[in-house]
Amino acid sequence: MPFSQKIRTMKKHIQQLFLIIFVMQVGCRKFIDIPAPETQIIRNTVFDSDNTANAAMLSILSQLEVEFFLNEITTVTSLSSDEFKNYSTGQENIQIYTNAILPANGRNLGIWSQAYSLIYQCNAIMEGANASKKLSSQLKNQIQGEAKFLRAYLYFYLTNLYGDVPLVTETDYQINKKLSRLSSDTIYKYIVQDLVDARNLLTTSYKDANGIDDSDRRIRPNKLAAAALLARVHLYTKDYDKAETLSNDVINSNTYILEPDIDKVFLIDNKEEILQISNEDIFNTTDGYNFVLTARPGAQSIDPNFVHAFDKNDKRLLNWIGTYIEGTDTFYFPNKYKIQYASTQQESLSILRLSEQYLIRSEARIMQGNLSGGETDLNIVRQRAGLPPANFNSSAQALALLIQERRNELFVENGHRWLDLKRTGTVDDFMKLQTPSKGGTWKTSAQLYPIPQSERSKDPELSQNPGY
Amino acid sequence: MGISARGIRKTSCINEKFYCYFKISIAMGQSWTNRVHRVMLLCVVNLSLYVNCYAGVDQGEKKVTLNVVEESCVKVFKQIEKQTKMSFFYSTSDIRLPGKVSINVVDAALDEVMGRILEGTGLEWIYSDNIITIRKKKQLIAVQPPAGNDSTITSVTVIGKVTDAAGNPIPGATVLVKRTKDGATTDEGGNFSLINVKRNLILSISSIGYQTAEIPVKGKTILVRLNVDINKLDETVVIAYGTSSKRYLTGNVAKVSAKDIEAQPVGDLSAALQGRITGLQIIQNSGAPGRQYSFVLRGKNSINSGNAPLIVIDNVPFYDGLSLDNSFIGSGVNSLSSPLSIINPRDIESIEVLKDADATAIYGSRAANGVILITTKKGKVGKTSVNLNYYSGFGRVTRTMKLLNTKDYIAMRKEALRNDHITTIPDEAYDINGTWDTAKTTDWQDKLFGETAQYTDAQASFSGGSSATQFLIGLGYHKETTVYPGDFNNQKGSLHFNINHNPENSKLRINLNGFYSKEKSVLPQRDLKNLIRTPPNAPDIYDSDGNLNWANSTWYNPYSDMLKTNEGNTDFLNANLDISYDLFPGFVIKSTMGYRSNRLEQLALTPKASFNPAEIYSQSTSAQGTNKNTGWNIEPQILYSKSWENSQIDGLLGAAFLQQNNSSIAWMGTGFSNDELLRDLKAANIVRLLSNDVNMYRYSAGFGRINYKYKNRYLINITGRRDGSSRFGPGKQFATFYAAGIGWIFSEERFIKEKLNFISFAKLRGSYGTTGNDKIGDYNYLDTYSPYRATYFGLTGLLPIRLNNPDYAWEVNKKAEIGLELGFLKDKIYISQSFYRNRSSNQLLSLPLPAITGKDAIMANLPAIVENTGYELEIKTENIKDKNFTWTTGLNLTIPRNKLVKYPGIENSPYANTYVVGKSLFIQKALNYDGVDPKTGEYTFVDVNGDGIISYPEDYTAPVFTGQQYYGGLLNELSYKNCNVTFFFQFVRQKNVPDYREQFGAPGYAINQPTYALNRWSAENDISGIQRYTTSGGSADLAFSNMLSSTGIFTDGSFIRLKNLSVSYNLPIKKLTNNRVQHCKVYLNAQNLITITSYKGYDPETRGYLPPLRVIALGIQASL
């Protein structure tokens, strides 16, 4: 092999090397552009079609029940109030029961973070629907209205449980991660605005799974659900005229009637229902699953003293409270939801129902001096419970009767009892007697739950409630 | 160019790094022309002389049959002379032959016989024609008898062959004419030739791993046999994309060899590495088999992202730990399974741990936390040998605690009620209200983990082959049961094979390597540790009918957990094919192709029988899931090697393409009509999908390395890599990493050699470079929704998966290291010290966010800098070494320091109350414990801000260092004749570890306590370290809860563990079996034999989980 040829061969080899390196460089770039994930959908695409945008809304409704959020609100507040007796030896449960929740309590953190997780998803719906040019206006209104309704619903509980809370209105974590708490008043203003918007966006009819067609099931919020919740909110903020007007709208809408048969109030097709949340996981309702006793209670059951205060003819005592007897021991449990476990859907968890609206209107009327109007509304509820009508003598007596009626009608249901005690200002006097019987000592500061400790460590702007 | 490809080079140096891969050197003259001519010429010479050379080569393979007992050497030599027709030649004045010899062989190779006779005598032998010359080692070897009487010719062409003691050719050995510095390297067949060599000059023949021989040129043909060099410094060390030796490394690479691994009766490789490598901290999380170990190499670099090192098995990257987590099925005991558990420890040849930038930068983006290279065993030349090994053993937990007996327990409960002013015993206090027998005592520790775990391990391997093709087949089986009651166990079976084809005079080399293993484990669904807190007077486990006793629903029967099982089935296949081809002189092209498949099936069964029958709503469930993770990689490379005048350069240029696919699916069936049908989801009332994920990960890289050596004492190594990863968003995918390492072997300098010759080896090395980290999960830059598990209104919902940050980029880890390695007295004492500093910046992590953001974390870069510095010390000494007795000691010590150097804006970050700038990441901000209030009997804490209450975060001001101050191990190995004893101590210094209270809760509740609780406060003015008993939430409960996050909870968790003791005895069986059994050893191996600690709790390492087991195993190993 002549030498010059040798050199040429070498040159060729070197050229080949560089060519290989070049090809590799280009190859590298192409190689790592991977296809979109097979089990995920890019966010922008979600709001490109009615189907997927609707699906994003449905999962929020679903999580309320499936992730035990609604049940947790009910259980924790019922332990805090006089409704439940605790049987758990878990220290976190004992803390809740004895009104001595520590900032590190995990159940408390669960409520807080689930609420905000759902609020985030509502905000994402709002932003996605706003930005989308491909959604039908019908669906856009429906899911935006629903998102606003739910956001208001969640803030309602947050501010009632924690007082001042951060107001998250968009999905940008850069902004959200350092929010501080806003006053409860501000939160309420925002809630009202959301519900007003929701009323405007939603239709009077209930919507089907697809968010467009009408349906008989009442498992998606409609205009009246927004009105019903707004009535409650106005009651809480003592805007009694507005509360009356709105509950009036709901009651007079001719959409709902009180179920004459008290056993049918929580069935899926009951006529009293304003909004239910369906659970299509493995239970009918998380309440039925958690509360019905078939053995000695290991977690909680209704405090016997709470039961003993019912009129013995009250159908709600007879039909909505179950008993489990073992030897000489009798245990009481909430039995509004009778089905503990079944694969077919017969019951659904109630969020808003008509009897509450009567009670709201009654209270609003009493507070505005219309005792007879209040009496009529109250007696509608009493009558269904099989009780004789009540007579109002004075505002104070009327209010006391009303609160007692709310206790008996709405017990162990969406935290009504605990919230009522607090908003009516009776909580201090009442719990001072109640807490010692639960093995604790009442402190005024226990009215508000603590801001979870881990949250404060992650967002130093979050202040703590007094007393923690 | 024919065989001239392995031609001559003018001067050669030891090409230790690449010779075994390239086995090539290129001719190098003053000019190309010159070189080509010389190559051509030698080509002819070489060819013509091969025949000549081979004629006299195989003396060492001549067969000898001997059967002598205590015979004199001279007589034995006579027999050999008779059988081989060869003559012995030695000088009785220069050497002393061994005294009496006993040997019994049939048809053994002469080499082997000679090896045995001269073993341990400091003598060696060489053959020249029909003469066996015996000489002292390391001296001039073998004077070639004059060939052809042409002693007048002053210059000859020398040809020769270099082999090892067994007669196998040594390719790539350096043959150097000492005075002229002319030289050559041997080819594949071990042959070399040198032209124009003056007579009586001395040839120096050397190769890595062998003792250098020096031979005067006397004739034309030379046969040199090199003895294996025992110097540890020259052992092969596997490095990234190649091999090297401790002597010439510029980076920091630690090695654990098969011998150390095999002495330990462990099912999991991770346990075998504990305490043995400086800088590598391995923590066992639980004593249950198959449980995960945490690996941290040189500290915590990332505030909360993956800190685990990259693992590469035979050039195939192991899955990166993110994806094969079986927690998708729920909280099984093995829900975090150990990644290395699937690998049969007996298949491992060596494990190398690459620590500094120089060693790791070539793995670029994935090397921030170091790299662990696992190399499996390879076939060896020789007749087929069969290796069998079997052991059987038992294990029990290392530590238990003394718990309250019933009397003390009842007293505690009653005192708690009194303390809380509860006068009537509550209805649900079954333990003291008369429902349960208050005279009964059950030792729940014994009932729940008091069994003896059985270990069985059997291994067989077959290996052998010609010099061109070698093979190895290994089979293994391992089974261990647990200390839990019930039929729980972990079983593994494995098949390992290796074929290496490397024919003489061929340009192509092929190596195929693979192993398949299968693991099956059946364990309880959760660690039973917490159930030992069951009150001692709890009811009987079984009723009179032998069913689980629920005592009228008054308790949770701990044995119901034995029925809730978690089965894991793992399949693992790892295969690798290396093909290399000699392109042209000096260049080799090569490609590594790997495939790996991990498949995990898990089955969590909760039968109806495990529930209290009174709880009629309890449903049997069966969760089933499969996770499949496969990966392939192709890494083409070009290798280049060249040497001249005192210098050697080795280059590497390569590319890597890697893909990993992960898919997982999990289902849960609920409500089975019959427990027998739990495995069949068709029998379930309701079946729902728990998860379904499909992920893809791709990675590509271009990399290069240049290694330059001058005079074998100045070393420089430069590496670079450009990486792209699909885990980053568009525009952020690529990053460049680099490193440089330098070394100076100053023991080669004249001043040491002449003045300080007790220093046999001294090397100063340093390195600096960058690496990255992409252990962040797939698709994290995408903003996506995925289906929600439950339907609503009959439709499947969509759920946002994550908060989205498309802008995160690579984090950078800068590593610097200085090392000093010293060998004294012929390396009898070897000391290696390293100082390192790793700085990790632009931290890429899942940043915890407050829940108000909607999620609890987001992937982001953090402006923080974390620094890990440390000092690592290794000392190896050969204390005694003589014919019968040797004693060696190895000590390793690591003193790590971790520091958060910088974190702008920490006060407004999620870590404001967690970390402190200037302090370690291993801190916990705690309350300042202030003793038990003698009045109230409750724990008290310093109210730092003086607001009257203990509040977070204001009063949490004490930063407690919870990490390890230092750790290491001490290994001693003694052997006397056929007996060998090794013992290995692991030690860890950690001053602040939470004590038993973290798992027992406040004393006074219906949970049992250790007897430590008896020392509680009981009356006013009592001074005590344990607060009063309590049983209802209240101030005492709050005080206890505060205690858990105060300075008071920490106790000294330092420990010294006799981690391993191994005693073995080599049976002198070869003779008895007429050579059929080459080697047979019986042994006793023990693990975790003694633990010395003052820790108050179970085990300072596993703490809240099952303590490690003390395992003692007896075994036998034989080679046929």
Side-chain angles (χ1 to χ4, degrees), chain B residues 38-236:
Chain B
R38 293 181 65 174
V39 166
M40 303 298 271
L41 174 69
L42 280 163
C43 197
V44 180
V45 176
N46 240 351
L47 273 176
S48 62
L49 293 174
Y50 259 91
V51 182
N52 188 357
C53 170
Y54 274 96
V57 160
D58 47 8
Q59 292 100 325
E61 275 140 42
K62 286 187 172 167
K63 297 290 179 237
V64 181
T65 301
L66 288 173
N67 186 359
V68 292
V69 183
E70 295 288 308
E71 194 67 84
S72 82
C73 222
V74 181
K75 283 191 176 159
V76 175
F77 285 168
K78 284 237 167 77
Q79 286 199 35
I80 294 173
E81 283 180 346
K82 220 179 195 170
Q83 292 182 29
T84 59
K85 313 271 186 270
M86 295 176 79
S87 318
F88 279 91
F89 174 75
Y90 52 88
S91 158
T92 44
S93 60
D94 280 342
I95 63 161
R96 258 188 73 202
L97 288 174
K100 301 286 180 192
V101 177
S102 298
I103 189 163
N104 180 356
V105 289
V106 178
D107 277 343
L110 177 56
D111 277 331
E112 193 202 328
V113 174
M114 288 305 298
R116 285 187 51 188
I117 294 170
L118 297 181
E119 199 173 356
T121 57
L123 299 176
E124 62 189 2
W125 71 99
I126 62 155
Y127 307 102
S128 35
D129 290 344
N130 282 333
I131 293 173
I132 307 169
T133 310
I134 297 174
R135 300 214 55 108
K136 276 188 188 157
K137 276 182 192 170
K138 287 233 173 189
Q139 287 191 354
L140 298 183
I141 297 180
V143 180
Q144 176 74 26
N149 297 325
D150 49 357
S151 54
T152 49
I153 301 166
T154 54
S155 168
V156 291
T157 294
V158 180
I159 59 152
K161 174 162 177 161
V162 180
T163 69
D164 64 14
N168 300 312
I170 301 175
T174 305
V175 183
L176 198 67
V177 183
K178 280 196 90 173
R179 191 183 298 166
T180 66
K181 304 293 182 198
D182 282 341
T185 40
T186 56
D187 65 11
E188 292 295 297
N191 301 300
F192 68 91
S193 62
L194 282 167
I195 53 168
N196 288 330
V197 183
K198 292 218 165 58
R199 293 181 68 98
N200 293 322
L201 286 183
I202 291 166
L203 293 184
S204 164
I205 294 138
S206 59
S207 182
I208 289 296
Y210 297 94
Q211 288 174 0
T212 300
E214 296 192 343
I215 302 173
V217 178
K218 290 275 167 78
K220 280 186 182 168
T221 57
I222 287 176
L223 177 85
V224 188
R225 235 156 250 260
L226 298 182
N227 285 319
V228 174
D229 194 324
I230 36 113
N231 195 328
K232 293 251 178 203
L233 290 172
D234 296 313
E235 269 184 14
T236 301

Side-chain angles (χ1 to χ4, degrees), chain B residues 367-379:
Chain B
N369 304 311
V371 184
I372 296 179
L373 300 179
I374 297 177
T375 310
T376 57
K377 287 180 180 159
K378 305 283 182 283

Side-chain angles (χ1 to χ4, degrees), chain A residues 165-177:
Chain A
V165 292
L167 181 66
V168 186
T169 59
E170 55 184 317
T171 58
D172 186 347
Y173 74 96
Q174 295 282 16
I175 295 167
N176 297 342
K177 71 179 181 188

Side-chain angles (χ1 to χ4, degrees), chain B residues 556-592:
Chain B
Y556 180 83
N557 189 327
Y559 268 51
S560 61
D561 268 37
M562 306 299 160
L563 301 174
K564 299 173 183 168
T565 58
N566 195 338
E567 284 180 34
N569 273 297
T570 315
D571 285 81
F572 180 53
L573 173 71
N574 197 82
N576 173 48
L577 176 65
D578 276 359
I579 298 179
S580 66
Y581 185 77
D582 302 346
L583 196 61
F584 50 88
F587 283 92
V588 176
I589 53 168
K590 175 182 166 173
S591 185
T592 295

Side-chain angles (χ1 to χ4, degrees), chain B residues 244-316:
Chain B
S244 181
S245 69
K246 197 109 193 146
R247 187 185 297 276
Y248 293 117
L249 275 174
T250 49
N252 190 333
V253 179
K255 174 175 174 172
V256 174
S257 56
K259 191 180 71 147
D260 295 327
I261 297 167
E262 286 171 3
Q264 306 186 64
V266 290
D268 192 324
L269 210 50
S270 317
L273 296 179
Q274 272 191 308
R276 288 180 190 259
I277 295 171
T278 55
L280 181 62
Q281 181 183 322
I282 301 175
I283 296 173
Q284 184 174 9
N285 292 325
S286 163
R291 266 292 299 214
Q292 199 183 34
Y293 290 73
S294 347
F295 279 68
V296 178
L297 185 58
R298 289 195 162 174
K300 188 170 171 172
N301 287 312
S302 179
I303 286 180
N304 83 347
S305 280
N307 273 300
L310 170 72
I311 296 171
V312 179
I313 304 170
D314 287 335
N315 297 328
V316 186

Side-chain angles (χ1 to χ4, degrees), chain B residues 308-330:
Chain B
L310 170 72
I311 296 171
V312 179
I313 304 170
D314 287 335
N315 297 328
V316 186
F318 207 43
Y319 71 84
D320 70 9
L322 275 166
S323 37
L324 202 84
D325 168 1
N326 28 6
S327 59
F328 62 88
I329 235 169

Side-chain angles (χ1 to χ4, degrees), chain A residues 3 13 17 24 28 31 40-41 43 55 59 63 67 94 102 173 219 280-281 294 296 340-341 455-457, chain B residues 32 584 614 617 619 638 670 688 698 783-785 788 791-794 798-799 851 858 910 952 1033 1038:
Chain A
F3 177 63
H13 283 312
L17 280 181
M24 279 177 177
C28 287
F31 182 71
Q40 301 171 22
I41 303 175
R43 178 160 164 183
S59 92
Q63 288 167 66
E67 305 296 328
I94 292 173
L102 298 179
Y173 74 96
I219 58 174
E280 294 163 27
D281 198 23
T294 51
R296 280 175 173 274
Q340 188 159 45
Y341 203 96
E455 285 297 284
R456 294 191 59 223
S457 75
Chain B
W32 287 101
F584 50 88
Y617 60 86
Q619 298 281 321
I638 300 163
T670 315
R688 68 190 173 107
R698 272 185 179 173
D783 191 4
T784 56
Y785 276 63
Y788 185 57
T791 60
Y792 196 79
F793 230 146
L798 286 170
L799 190 70
I858 188 164
Y952 180 86
L1038 174 61

Side-chain angles (χ1 to χ4, degrees), chain B residues 677-728:
Chain B
L677 298 173
L678 277 181
R679 283 157 199 277
D680 184 359
L681 285 178
K682 291 198 300 294
N685 219 340
I686 301 167
V687 177
R688 68 190 173 107
L689 185 68
L690 295 178
S691 69
N692 184 9
D693 281 311
V694 180
N695 289 339
M696 184 197 256
Y697 165 49
R698 272 185 179 173
Y699 175 92
S700 69
F703 54 85
R705 173 168 64 200
I706 295 173
N707 181 289
Y708 176 73
K709 258 195 286 295
Y710 181 69
K711 285 190 167 174
N712 277 345
R713 72 184 82 139
Y714 307 108
L715 320 165
I716 182 159
N717 194 41
I718 296 169
T719 46
R721 179 160 176 136
R722 184 152 175 85
D723 273 347
S725 164
S726 67
R727 288 180 172 163
F728 295 88

